[in-house]
Amino acid sequence: MTAILFVAILVLGVLLYDARKRLASLEARFRQLDAPAVEEYRPAVIITDQPVAPSRVEAEQAVLPRPTVEKAPSIWAGAQEEGLFTEPEPSSQPPPVPRVEKPSGSGFEDLFGRKLPIWAGGITLVVAAILLVKYSIDANLLSPVVRVVIGIVFGAGLIGGAGIARRRADLVQDERIAQALAGAGVGSLYAATLAAANLYGLIGSGVAFAALGIITALALGLSIRFGAPTAVLGLIGGLAAPALVSSVAPNVPLLAAYLALVTGGITLLSRSQRWFWLGVSALAGGGAWSAIMILLGGLDGSSSLSVGLLIVILGLALPMMASADRRNPMLQGVAALVSALQLAALVATGGYTMLNWGLYALLSTALIWLTTRVATLRLTVAVPLIASMILAATWPNPSAALFTMVMIGIVAIFVGSALWRLWRMDGMTFDAGQIVLTALGGFGATYWQFGSASSGDALIALAFALLPAAGAALGWPHAERRQHMRFAMLSPAAGLLVIIAATLALPLWTVPISIALVAAILLELGVKAGPKVRQGALAFIALATVALLGTGGAAGEISRLVTTTPLEAPVQAIVRWSALLVTAALFAWRLSGSRTGMVVQGLAAILCYGLIAQVVPAQWLAIAAALGMLAAAEVQRSKPALDLRVAAAVLAAIAALWALEPLARWLFAGMAALTGDPMFVGDLPDRWSALRQMLVPASIGATALWRVRDGLPAMARTVAFAQMGVIGLIGAHILYKQLFAIGDMAAFIAHGLAERTLWEVTLGAIGTALARKWREAAILVGLGLAHNLYFSLLLHDPLWAVQAVGPWPLVNLLLPAFGIAYAGPSLVAKLMPEWRPHLPVPAAILHMVVLALVAVASMRQIFCGSIIAHIALGPTENILLSVLCIALGVGYLLWGIRSGQRSWRIGSLLLMLGAVMKVFLFDASGLEGLLRIGSFLALGFSLIGIGWLYSRYLKPDAAA
């Protein structure tokens, strides 16, 4: 009671405050009307003493002549002459009429002080009435009849008060008071009627329906008379009544009917008064109540029917009547989606009865009908469709007969409507998606419920495949329909279900064959149906490849690609790989000339290799891949239109992969050899690996490249030949290492120099022979020369590395070993003429070094034998070494003078300078007697001879 009085005091206070503001506004208006209108000049004070530049407008006005206007002297004349004030120009406009200012107030105060209290008061009255009734019930103060009568009288009194307040507007001075009273009265009548019917059972269902209809009609009439707030309060009161008036066993059908009447009445009112927000609020409130009833559960047949009908009304019927503006389609779509989800929940919580399924079908059918009138709602059909599939899949222990009936209904509703609109003028891609989703989802739900991977399931899959197949068949007779995305969606969907049927009915190892067959059929359809269908077929050929690697004896078949593993079913493996190969080849042929065709051609090459691997032992697969490359090259050469370059490249890559293992072993050994460790034959692959995995495949590949060399881009041709050349050369080197079979350090000392020399000579000879027709072969000469310089002259030179050169003087390995380096520059200049201008100086230096090394090594071999490294010099050999150096220096000088090459003369001086230093610092200090004298005499004559030669034959102008 205290709360009610407090609210009443607030209401009276707000009314008094509003009346005071109105009186103040009237007094201000009267004062302004009585005051005379005086034109007042407001001088503009210039507070700066700096001259102000005139604006562009002022300058233009100063130039234009102005009419002379006489005016009375002003009290500001003296001030204007001083330049302190400016007088405004006379205007032809009449003086402004004084505007009566409305007393301004704070927006916060206006909202929370003027508006909300009135509305809150109306709501409070309704709540107070309901609480009063509830208190009387709890305290057993009044009988049920008296309670209901009091509620009705109270509501009628509030409505009567609203009428009085509207008629005495001069006294109330606020229309919201009448609105609040009317809304509260309507809510009270709703609550009293509902309590009489649902709580006390004083009236039957028929009387209750009639009473609620009368109250709803009354609410509509009052809302039209009193405005939107009355309707809002009536809606709030009507929707709050079921929650505030409790019941142990509520009558769900009556409650649903009540909610339908309340929301329906407010919705119709919102349309007539164009209160869109009111209709949305009514639908939201009704939807909330229907959701609550579903979540509470325990609904029997009549309750489920009533709730389902309420959902249908809220989701379809009422949104159509809510508004006629452009926002209504959006409201219809949202309402339909919410209702579909609520009906799905009703089906799930209601035991999946046929009654609930029927209501769901009714809503789905109505929604589809609605989409024929509002095209923007077409996509909303996906929600009930997906929900129906989920419901069918989660249906606990359904009987086959009921499940079949439900599934037939789903197909009839969603597929039937989609087929009807699929190829019409207003048909959409979504219609095809609707058919595909129904077919795939329907089979998935059916298989989830009853599936056992039997032939019966295969028949079910075929039955569902007929749905998208029927849609595609309807579009096939028209060429323009075959090009549409709808056809491209339906055809692969039918093919997928056919594949599922084949998987369920046939052995597992046939799965890739089934997929490949469907892919081929779709590809041939795509020839007439356009590229979209072919793209779907490509997905199936990829799926077939995945299935090939994951079904049947895939593990053994895959291992055959790299090892010789026995197959459990070789015929089966051959059939599987052959089917995929034929299909991929068909795709490559149909798609030739496109990038996709190139990719599929590469896949066909891999499948061809896999098919060969099922028959051929692993050790011959590299050669088989190379032969496949050669075959592709020959076909390419004879029929260029086929363009098998991608297949040839893929097979070449497969052959190159076989070379990786022996290549890796050779590389590890080669890296160690670069640091000085000998490359023993045990560190390398065997001869058969080199032949079968490297040399022979590389030779076949080079032949294939040579056959189609004119049809390849220059860069691709160079790279391919380089690849084959490197693999072949390394394979040849591994084979060559088998000839000497150097397996330990002793064998390396005895035969290392001979092995290197013969290899370097072979490279130079082959490179020279091939360079006559193929200029790039000169690289072999360069490799041989580089090998000689690094390994024979630098790393393992017999002078400082223990290497056997041979037992006989002059007839040994020194001359050929060092002769390669000596002849190298001349051979390079012959094969590469463009390098000739850059070779003289490097060639002269190399020649001088080689001559000095071979001379010193030959002299040491005479004294030491086959091994000349790490053996100390004897006295005689030491003297002869000095003489040899001087003789070489003289020879270099004579050749430099004769050929005019300054490099040789400089080399001569450096060599003789070194000889002199050796004689004076080492040789002479250790000699005695005639040997010492002879060495000095020899050195003296040598020096005199050198000087004479320089002065005699070397002219000053030749010094350059």
Side-chain angles (χ1 to χ4, degrees):
M1 191 66 181
T2 304
I4 296 175
L5 292 175
F6 178 72
V7 172
I9 292 172
L10 286 179
V11 171
L12 292 176
V14 171
L15 291 174
L16 291 175
Y17 176 75
D18 186 69
R20 176 181 174 278
K21 292 182 64 178
R22 290 176 181 270
L23 290 174
S25 176
L26 289 175
E27 292 175 356
R29 179 174 297 182
F30 284 128
R31 284 196 301 268
Q32 291 179 0
L33 291 176
D34 292 340
V38 179
E39 181 180 358
E40 180 180 355
Y41 292 92
R42 298 181 182 274
V45 181
I46 302 176
I47 60 175
T48 176
D49 57 354
Q50 297 295 331
V52 179
S55 65
R56 179 174 176 269
V57 177
E58 295 172 345
E60 292 177 355
Q61 293 176 352
V63 176
L64 298 177
R66 295 184 178 181
T68 304
V69 180
E70 296 183 3
K71 57 182 179 180
S74 173
I75 60 175
W76 308 104
Q80 291 175 351
E81 291 177 359
E82 295 297 330
L84 297 177
F85 303 101
T86 59
E87 184 175 348
E89 294 291 335
S91 175
S92 60
Q93 300 293 333
V97 177
R99 183 170 60 91
V100 178
E101 295 288 341
K102 183 178 180 180
S104 61
S106 171
F108 179 84
E109 294 174 344
D110 183 67
L111 176 63
F112 289 92
R114 295 178 63 247
K115 298 178 180 179
L116 291 184
I118 296 175
W119 300 339
I123 298 172
T124 304
L125 291 176
V126 176
V127 175
I130 296 173
L131 292 177
L132 183 60
V133 173
K134 188 176 186 302
Y135 174 77
S136 66
I137 294 172
D138 296 337
N140 292 320
L141 297 178
L142 301 174
S143 65
V145 176
V146 175
R147 298 167 191 168
V148 172
V149 171
I150 291 175
I152 295 174
V153 172
F154 182 73
L158 290 176
I159 295 173
I164 296 172
R166 182 174 178 82
R167 287 193 298 270
R168 301 297 303 274
D170 54 338
L171 178 63
V172 177
Q173 295 187 352
D174 197 326
E175 62 180 3
R176 287 183 295 274
I177 294 177
Q179 294 171 353
L181 293 174
V186 170
S188 298
L189 293 178
Y190 274 128
T193 305
L194 186 62
N198 193 31
L199 187 60
Y200 304 122
L202 298 178
I203 56 177
S205 300
V207 177
F209 277 123
L212 291 174
I214 294 172
I215 295 173
T216 301
L218 177 64
L220 293 177
L222 293 175
S223 299
I224 296 173
R225 178 176 178 82
F226 293 102
T230 303
V232 172
L233 294 175
L235 174 64
I236 295 174
L239 293 177
L244 297 176
V245 181
S246 60
S247 175
V248 178
N251 190 330
V252 175
L254 183 61
L255 178 60
Y258 164 75
L259 291 172
L261 288 174
V262 171
T263 54
I266 300 299
T267 302
L268 292 175
L269 176 64
S270 69
R271 181 183 180 90
S272 64
Q273 299 298 315
R274 296 184 179 180
W275 295 334
F276 181 78
W277 53 271
L278 185 63
V280 173
S281 302
L283 293 175
W289 269 112
S290 61
I292 292 173
M293 288 187 286
I294 293 172
L295 294 177
L296 292 177
L299 302 177
D300 54 13
S302 60
S303 298
S304 297
L305 178 61
S306 59
V307 174
L309 291 176
L310 174 64
I311 293 172
V312 173
I313 293 172
L314 294 176
L316 293 177
L318 294 183
M320 297 179 62
M321 299 181 293
S323 175
D325 62 6
R326 57 182 177 83
R327 296 171 292 180
N328 189 251
M330 180 182 298
L331 173 62
Q332 294 177 6
V334 174
L337 294 180
V338 173
S339 299
L341 295 176
Q342 287 190 352
L343 273 181
L346 180 63
V347 173
T349 58
Y352 294 85
T353 63
M354 294 306 296
L355 174 62
N356 292 337
W357 277 114
L359 291 171
Y360 194 87
L362 176 62
L363 176 69
S364 301
T365 305
L367 177 60
I368 292 174
W369 171 81
L370 181 62
T371 59
T372 61
R373 302 186 59 185
V374 184
T376 55
L377 299 180
R378 294 278 287 276
L379 299 180
T380 60
V381 179
V383 174
L385 173 58
I386 295 174
S388 65
M389 295 301 166
I390 297 175
L391 288 173
T394 56
W395 191 347
N397 302 319
S399 65
L402 292 180
F403 188 90
T404 303
M405 293 176 59
V406 170
M407 193 56 62
I408 291 175
I410 293 174
V411 170
I413 293 172
F414 294 103
V415 177
S417 61
L419 287 175
W420 175 70
R421 289 191 297 197
L422 180 62
W423 299 115
R424 292 166 56 91
M425 293 297 295
D426 59 343
M428 299 172 58
T429 304
F430 175 76
D431 297 321
Q434 185 174 326
I435 298 173
V436 171
L437 182 59
T438 306
L440 296 177
F443 172 76
T446 305
Y447 186 78
W448 179 262
Q449 293 287 0
F450 305 101
S452 58
S454 62
S455 57
D457 297 326
L459 293 176
I460 295 175
L462 290 177
F464 278 102
L466 293 176
L467 302 179
L474 291 175
W476 179 259
H478 303 275
E480 69 278 3
R481 294 179 180 179
R482 295 197 297 263
Q483 307 293 326
H484 202 276
M485 187 62 189
R486 288 169 245 172
F487 191 90
M489 293 176 61
L490 294 169
S491 302
L496 180 59
L497 287 167
V498 170
I499 292 171
I500 294 174
T503 303
L504 295 173
L506 300 176
L508 189 61
W509 66 270
T510 62
V511 171
I513 302 175
S514 304
I515 301 175
L517 180 60
V518 172
I521 294 174
L522 290 176
L523 176 65
E524 293 305 313
L525 287 177
V527 173
K528 294 184 178 181
K532 294 184 177 65
V533 177
R534 292 199 297 269
Q535 292 173 359
L538 287 171
F540 281 97
I541 191 64
L543 181 62
T545 305
V546 174
L548 178 68
L549 303 178
T551 59
E557 295 169 8
I558 295 173
S559 65
R560 290 281 300 186
L561 302 179
V562 291
T563 60
T564 307
T565 303
L567 288 173
E568 298 179 359
V571 176
Q572 174 181 306
I574 294 173
V575 171
R576 283 158 51 89
W577 288 84
S578 299
L580 267 293
L581 173 59
V582 171
T583 306
L586 177 63
F587 271 78
W589 174 54
R590 286 295 191 185
L591 302 176
S592 60
S594 64
R595 293 184 178 179
T596 306
M598 294 180 181
V599 174
V600 179
Q601 185 184 134
L603 175 62
I606 296 174
L607 293 171
C608 179
Y609 169 79
L611 176 60
I612 295 172
Q614 307 309 310
V615 181
V616 177
Q619 58 266 29
W620 300 102
L621 287 178
I623 297 177
L627 289 174
M629 176 187 177
L630 180 60
E634 290 298 326
V635 175
Q636 171 76 28
R637 187 168 178 270
S638 60
K639 296 181 179 181
L642 292 178
D643 193 9
L644 299 180
R645 289 178 295 179
V646 174
V650 171
L651 291 172
I654 293 174
L657 289 176
W658 274 102
L660 288 180
E661 189 272 336
L663 178 63
R665 293 187 61 183
W666 181 89
L667 284 175
F668 281 120
M671 294 296 294
L674 290 175
T675 61
D677 294 335
M679 180 184 285
F680 297 133
V681 70
D683 300 331
L684 301 174
D686 60 84
R687 62 176 66 89
W688 295 113
S689 297
L691 275 171
R692 291 188 297 235
Q693 296 176 231
M694 302 185 75
L695 186 58
V696 174
S699 302
I700 297 173
T703 304
L705 289 173
W706 183 261
R707 297 287 288 173
V708 294
R709 62 189 182 281
D710 297 332
L712 297 176
M715 180 60 69
R717 182 174 61 248
T718 301
V719 172
F721 272 115
Q723 172 191 344
M724 300 299 175
V726 169
I727 295 176
L729 182 61
I730 294 175
H733 184 256
I734 295 173
L735 283 177
Y736 174 79
K737 294 290 289 185
Q738 309 297 324
L739 297 178
F740 288 85
I742 298 176
D744 52 24
M745 186 58 70
F748 176 73
I749 293 173
H751 306 294
L753 183 59
E755 182 190 56
R756 291 194 303 274
T757 302
L758 182 58
W759 173 249
E760 293 155 4
V761 170
T762 302
L763 287 178
I766 295 175
T768 304
L770 295 178
R772 296 175 182 177
K773 292 185 178 181
W774 187 34
R775 190 168 177 269
E776 287 80 2
I779 193 172
L780 294 176
V781 177
L783 289 175
L785 180 59
H787 191 278
N788 177 264
L789 293 177
Y790 185 77
F791 288 102
S792 296
L793 269 69
L794 180 63
L795 198 61
H796 299 299
D797 192 299
L799 285 172
W800 50 78
V802 181
Q803 292 282 276
V805 300
W808 300 292
L810 300 179
V811 184
N812 51 44
L813 294 174
L814 291 174
L815 292 179
F818 291 102
I820 295 171
Y822 191 89
S826 301
L827 191 57
V828 171
K830 180 180 179 181
L831 298 177
M832 310 290 289
E834 66 274 12
W835 287 14
R836 188 171 296 169
H838 308 287
L839 288 178
V841 174
I845 295 174
L846 180 61
H847 286 160
M848 287 186 286
V849 172
V850 169
L851 287 174
L853 289 175
V854 73
V856 173
S858 297
M859 189 191 71
R860 294 231 64 196
Q861 196 273 341
I862 295 174
F863 283 91
C864 302
S866 182
I867 303 298
I868 60 177
H870 307 307
I871 299 178
L873 295 172
T876 304
E877 184 182 1
N878 196 12
I879 293 296
L880 291 177
L881 179 60
S882 301
V883 174
L884 178 61
C885 292
I886 294 173
L888 285 174
V890 173
Y892 291 173
L893 179 59
L894 293 175
W895 178 251
I897 294 173
R898 180 178 178 180
S899 61
Q901 298 183 51
R902 186 167 177 264
S903 303
W904 284 88
R905 298 195 300 271
I906 294 176
S908 169
L909 292 176
L910 292 176
L911 186 58
M912 286 190 290
L913 179 61
V916 169
M917 293 179 62
K918 177 180 179 299
V919 169
F920 278 98
L921 296 177
F922 300 101
D923 297 345
S925 61
L927 296 177
E928 295 180 0
L930 294 177
L931 291 177
R932 186 174 187 180
I933 296 172
S935 63
F936 278 99
L937 289 175
L939 180 60
F941 284 117
S942 299
L943 294 175
I944 293 173
I946 293 172
W948 175 77
L949 287 173
Y950 267 96
S951 61
R952 175 71 177 77
Y953 295 103
L954 190 61
K955 305 298 183 182
D957 56 355

